[in-house]
Amino acid sequence: MGRPNEEVEALLQEYADLIAITGGDAFKARAYEKAARAIGGYPADVSHLDIKGLREIPGVGKSIADKVTEYLRTGTVTVVEERRAAIPAGVRELITIPTLGPKKALTLYEDLHISSVNELADAIQAGELEGLKGFGRKTEENILHGIALMQRAGGRILLHIAMDSAEDIVAELSRVTGCRRCAYAGSLRRMKETIGDIDVLVAADRSRPFMDALSELPSTGEVIAHGEKKTSIRTVKGVQVDLRVLPPGSWGAGLQYFTGSKAHNIRTRTIAIRQGLKLSEYGLFEADGGKAVASRTEEEVYARLGLPWIPPALREDRGEIEAGLRGELPEVVTERDVRGDLHTHTDLTDGLAPLEEMVAAAAGRGYAYYAVTDHAPNLYMQRMTDEKILAQRERLRALDGTRHRMRLLHGTELNIGPDGEVDWPDDFLEGFDLCVASVHSHFHLGREAMTRRLVRACENPHVNVIGHPTTRIIGKRPGIDADWDEVFAACARTGTALEVNAQPDRLDLGDEDILRARRHGVKFAVDTDAHSVLHLAYLRYGVGTAQRGWLTADDVVNTWPLPRLRRFLSKGRSS
DNA sequence: GCCGTTTTCGGCCCGACTGTTTTCAGTCG
């Protein structure tokens, strides 16, 4: 069930929330938040650290180190339990609603005894908030909107949460005697941005040991169904997992069937029918007589249907069948193609790790190049100055080439102001190897103004990548409104790449927008926007999203060799 | 609660925006 670091991070974050809700010292709450984040992003396993080791983590002092130790030893922390007893869990849930923070949550709880999102929605509908101090009509609207946004995610979970659970379960089941194959399928394998439930497949002659093993995992909270062919459980984190055990001979057909999507499978089954065949999770059979013709591998099943093997990320019935039949399936970009990350942070701004550690971790991933792009001054809270970024450049140049010959690029993440302006003048920007530029404020300009703003940013001769272009946060904040076709055209015209931001709660651009942008001839940068060493591994989600957008390596500038990338970054200026 | 051009306690990411106020509190990035 996740790394101990994540458990501790969640616990400390919860404690911070509880302090905030109960009106405790805001700085104390922030101290816990900071420590939570630092522990979550800390490379070493906290359960292997003693008090001294824990206190070496930035933001962790005596008190927090003691609480972490208490948690690791006993599984609980007394003071956290006390606060939990005082505040129902549902009250904490309230602050996950955008625009609703700890103060309003406490008012709702104390004055109206509201302790869940549903109760709040009902109370607003019933007009019970009228007259409550600080809650006007507009606030009610915003809250209802926030709740709707949350519910639209429909209990679906983010990709990386599902992936962590799925990989744990696959690892566990793979150890069970008799396991021939084990893998996750479904929307997770297709790398959809949110996941409803996790499908796990096992190939084995006997199903019982696997059904039992899943039911008995420590991460299993509740067994929903326990049968011969299928077992469903809910993890302690509330994620539903469906396990199916297939005869080894049916592995390929089963994997194909349970990977979906439904729309893709309808197409493959229709093709089978037209050829006098029948396709099911057990194999491809002759319609009359039922003789099996293919089932061992996915390749075999697709081949018998006259199709090449189709990468799971493409299986959405968005033209992949037709392209496959024509032999024009794109060779989608893979993680191996990526030569470097072009958007990353260090502890000079809001990253957790120092420059040297991020660079060492990047080198460990085998990158040919790596860009450091800390925040620029207009994101005031980061307190960037000319002196600080230039000093970082010195440090970076000194490190350049010392790590497996990986080349370092010095960049920055600029802020795109409401009129499309950025933080520094041209002559200062000239000194960077590349500039990412992103929207961090003024999310509610009108469509026209927003479009003009983004186009102007593209036209800046120093802006190379538009970071997280829509600024959406999945399940929390919709993307900004702009005439995207016009923005995409501007990107193509000016040689500005669009980012596919790999943070699992962003995945921005998303697959649909990528497909649209690609038609304009835009180039892309698949970046992690890493704020810690661990985030560098999020690249896989960005690549998955890029694949869902049908991108090839040629579409993605950070798969290119460095000289070609540098030419792109010069935007036509003589360098 | 953590941290320190620091040894003992004061400052802690700072500014903008929104909505509810009528001078400001709460939330967000």
Side-chain angles (χ1 to χ4, degrees), chain A residues 74-191:
Chain A
T74 68
T76 55
V77 176
T78 311
V79 288
V80 177
E81 294 301 322
E82 286 169 6
R83 298 253 181 176
R84 277 180 181 166
I87 294 286
V91 179
R92 185 172 168 240
E93 194 192 348
L94 294 180
I95 68 173
T96 62
I97 301 170
T99 73
L100 209 166
K103 294 289 186 294
K104 285 200 168 76
L106 185 62
T107 303
L108 289 168
Y109 176 58
E110 287 192 327
D111 292 9
L112 298 177
H113 308 293
I114 289 169
S115 58
S116 76
V117 173
N118 285 337
E119 283 173 29
L120 176 56
D122 292 345
I124 293 175
Q125 302 293 5
E128 289 168 20
L129 269 61
E130 271 168 41
L132 193 60
K133 62 176 188 304
F135 291 80
R137 196 176 55 80
K138 194 70 194 177
T139 299
E140 290 184 358
E141 271 174 32
N142 287 340
I143 291 172
L144 287 176
H145 180 73
I147 292 174
L149 210 61
M150 282 169 61
Q151 287 170 343
R152 207 169 309 151
R156 295 179 71 87
I157 53 170
L158 293 177
L159 190 50
H160 67 306
I161 308 280
M163 188 65 86
D164 287 349
S165 288
E167 288 186 331
D168 281 351
I169 290 166
V170 167
E172 290 289 343
L173 296 182
S174 297
R175 276 199 283 276
V176 174
T177 311
C179 179
R180 306 275 285 274
R181 304 288 297 268
C182 182
Y184 57 82
S187 53
L188 181 58
R189 185 164 178 243
R190 303 200 311 279
M191 286 276 190

